[in-house]
């Protein structure tokens, strides 16, 4: 079955001006994916999501605020990081629509798996607040839709963006039908994501954070996947996997200080794909979050889509190899604490 790559030109209408989260990111990604001409990959568009879908996760007053800002011709949603332009509502609704459609197509067996190449990103958007370049929480709305439509009953979210996925955490904090895992640099925006944040009420134990010090490279990230994500997902037994795919742990990323390489992202994708194959028939949808070095982002997305489509071709890091990059020594302590806390 094919790997779907979802994209919409409408996502370019979100005009952020001189900003790291620019339309150039998506243009770089799509130019590279189209040039790669990968067998088994279908390029797909999706319609804009209906506002009623957005309301399943976001409050009416927040939605009104976004609509009003876009109609006024633009502004910002938070202290200035999160820009809304006249075209942002249309872009954001297409980003949601693509995530929702990709997740449905995979859950229904129309696609083997999918990668959703959209912007604005989503994982910082909470029910009532856009922040950190995110307007609507694309992945969370896709997850909610799968649950509401009975297409999944246990969804695991793996978020490896270098920033904590605070919005997704907030949305599902009390909900055991979504297991949220995030690994991220700390301290760093948005400041949340301590491992003591484990969920609430019936959702207690279904929120797992692995905050990492700066400098963690490929080995450290793979260690976290092997020691925490693997056992966690094998215990949870999801029927669908959603991935918040942020490529800002890359060693050249201007917004963070990790040391992951493009081949490292490829190995991470392979680990996650192998888990999905064993646990949920390979059903997974990857949704783009951050990643702000254009060449690294485009290469890492190509490497990911190659893995999803079953290609074993290596993709080189356009920037070469980092000089440093800590091994597992940087992460052993926190991994051991998280394993103990969650009984893994
Ligand atoms: Zn990020």
């Amino acid at each position: 079955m094919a790997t779907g790559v979802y994209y919409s030109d409408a996502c370019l209408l979100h005009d952020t001006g001189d900003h790291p989260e620019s339309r150039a990111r998506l243009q770089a990604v799509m130019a590279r994916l189209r040039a790669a001409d990968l067998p088994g990959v279908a390029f797909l568009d999706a319609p804009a999501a209906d506002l009623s879908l957005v309301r399943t996760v976001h409050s009416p007053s927040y939605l009104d605020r976004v609509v009003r800002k876009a109609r006024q011709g633009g502004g910002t949603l938070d202290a200035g990081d999160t820009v809304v332009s006249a075209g942002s509502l249309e872009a954001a609704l297409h980003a949601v629509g693509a995530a929702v459609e990709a997740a449905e197509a995979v859950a229904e067996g129309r696609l083997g798996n999918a990668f959703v190449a959209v912007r604005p990103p989503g994982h910082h958007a909470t029910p009532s607040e856009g922040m950190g370049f995110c307007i609507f929480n694309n992945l969370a709305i896709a997850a909610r839709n799968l649950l509401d439509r009975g297409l999944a009953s246990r969804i695991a979210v793996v978020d490896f963006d270098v920033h904590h996925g605070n919005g997704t955490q907030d949305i599902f904090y009390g909900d055991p039908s979504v297991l949220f895992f995030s690994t991220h640099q700390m301290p760093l925006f948005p400041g949340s994501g301590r491992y003591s944040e484990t969920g609430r009420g019936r959702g207690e134990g279904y929120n797992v954070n692995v905050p990492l010090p700066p400098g963690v490279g490929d080995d450290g990230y793979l260690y976290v996947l092997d020691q925490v994500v693997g056992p966690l997902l094998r215990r949870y037994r999801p029927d669908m996997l959603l991935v918040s795919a942020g490529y800002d742990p890359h060693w050249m990323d201007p917004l963070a200080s990790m040391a992951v390489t493009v081949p490292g992202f490829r190995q991470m994708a392979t680990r996650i794909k192998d888990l999905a194959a064993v646990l949920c028939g390979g059903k997974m949808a990857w949704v783009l979050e951050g990643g702000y070095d254009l060449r690294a982002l485009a290469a890492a997305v190509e490497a990911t889509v190659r893995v999803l489509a079953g290609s074993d071709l290596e993709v080189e890091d356009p920037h070469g190899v980092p000089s440093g990059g800590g091994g597992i020594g940087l992460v052993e302590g926190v991994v051991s604490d998280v394993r103990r806390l969650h009984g893994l």
Side-chain angles (χ1 to χ4, degrees):
M1 251 186 310
T3 292
V5 170
Y6 281 84
Y7 163 78
S8 171
D9 280 333
C11 291
L12 305 180
L13 297 173
H14 176 49
D15 182 2
T16 50
D18 181 22
H19 191 286
E21 201 297 288
S22 70
R23 58 170 64 121
R25 296 176 61 238
L26 213 47
Q27 289 167 325
V29 164
M30 292 311 295
R32 182 132 187 174
L33 285 179
R34 289 194 176 110
D37 193 24
L38 300 172
V41 171
F43 288 94
L44 301 160
D45 202 344
D50 194 84
L51 287 177
S52 61
L53 266 177
V54 178
R55 280 194 205 99
T56 62
V57 158
H58 295 289
S59 67
S61 60
Y62 172 59
L63 187 52
D64 287 349
R65 216 165 107 225
V66 174
V67 171
R68 210 165 45 239
K69 289 248 186 222
R71 288 207 180 122
Q72 285 165 355
T76 54
L77 286 175
D78 51 9
D81 277 350
T82 310
V83 176
V84 175
S85 70
S88 294
L89 180 62
E90 195 175 342
L93 289 174
H94 273 87
V96 172
V100 165
E101 171 57 27
E104 277 188 11
V106 172
E108 291 176 345
R110 289 181 277 127
L111 289 170
N113 52 42
F115 190 94
V116 183
V118 293
R119 62 184 284 277
H123 73 151
H124 295 307
T126 73
S128 58
E129 198 179 9
M131 58 188 278
F133 318 162
C134 300
I135 297 179
F136 300 140
N137 197 317
N138 309 315
L139 179 147
I141 296 168
R144 170 58 48 210
N145 176 64
L146 290 180
L147 296 169
D148 289 349
R149 292 199 51 210
L151 291 170
S153 55
R154 299 168 74 76
I155 298 172
V157 177
V158 175
D159 183 332
F160 63 78
D161 187 281
V162 80
H163 304 95
H164 178 234
N166 63 297
T168 315
Q169 169 171 302
D170 275 12
I171 290 161
F172 298 114
Y173 208 55
D175 188 348
S177 52
V178 176
L179 171 72
F180 179 65
F181 167 86
S182 177
T183 191
H184 39 268
Q185 182 179 324
M186 186 172 265
L188 193 66
F189 179 88
S192 54
R194 289 180 303 276
Y195 61 69
S196 55
E197 298 161 20
T198 55
R200 174 195 341 108
R202 291 179 59 234
E204 177 62 48
Y206 296 94
N207 194 88
V208 181
N209 286 315
V210 179
L212 300 173
V216 176
D218 298 347
D219 290 352
Y221 271 83
L222 293 171
Y223 187 77
V224 170
L225 287 177
D226 291 342
Q227 296 292 319
V228 179
V229 178
L232 191 64
L233 265 55
R234 280 192 286 273
R235 183 172 72 188
Y236 185 67
R237 303 216 145 267
D239 41 30
M240 176 89 183
L241 202 56
L242 296 177
V243 181
S244 261
Y247 295 92
D248 40 14
H250 188 271
W251 65 281
M252 281 292 284
D253 196 275
L255 299 192
S257 318
M258 290 306 195
V260 178
T261 67
V262 168
F265 284 119
R266 178 178 171 276
Q267 287 177 283
M268 288 162 63
T270 304
R271 294 287 215 285
I272 294 169
K273 185 188 182 189
D274 290 348
L275 277 171
V278 171
L279 295 173
C280 52
K283 287 178 191 283
M284 53 180 180
W286 291 53
V287 182
L288 182 63
E289 302 287 357
Y292 303 98
D293 179 276
L294 298 187
R295 289 168 66 211
L297 170 67
V301 172
E302 184 192 329
T304 300
V305 173
R306 280 189 181 278
V307 169
L308 298 189
S311 155
D312 48 17
L313 198 89
E314 186 72 80
V315 175
E316 281 181 17
D317 195 311
H319 295 292
V321 182
S323 51
I328 61 171
L330 277 177
V331 307
E332 272 174 324
V334 65
V335 162
S336 145
D337 288 348
V338 170
R339 281 175 59 94
R340 196 173 324 114
L341 180 66
H342 286 279
L344 298 171

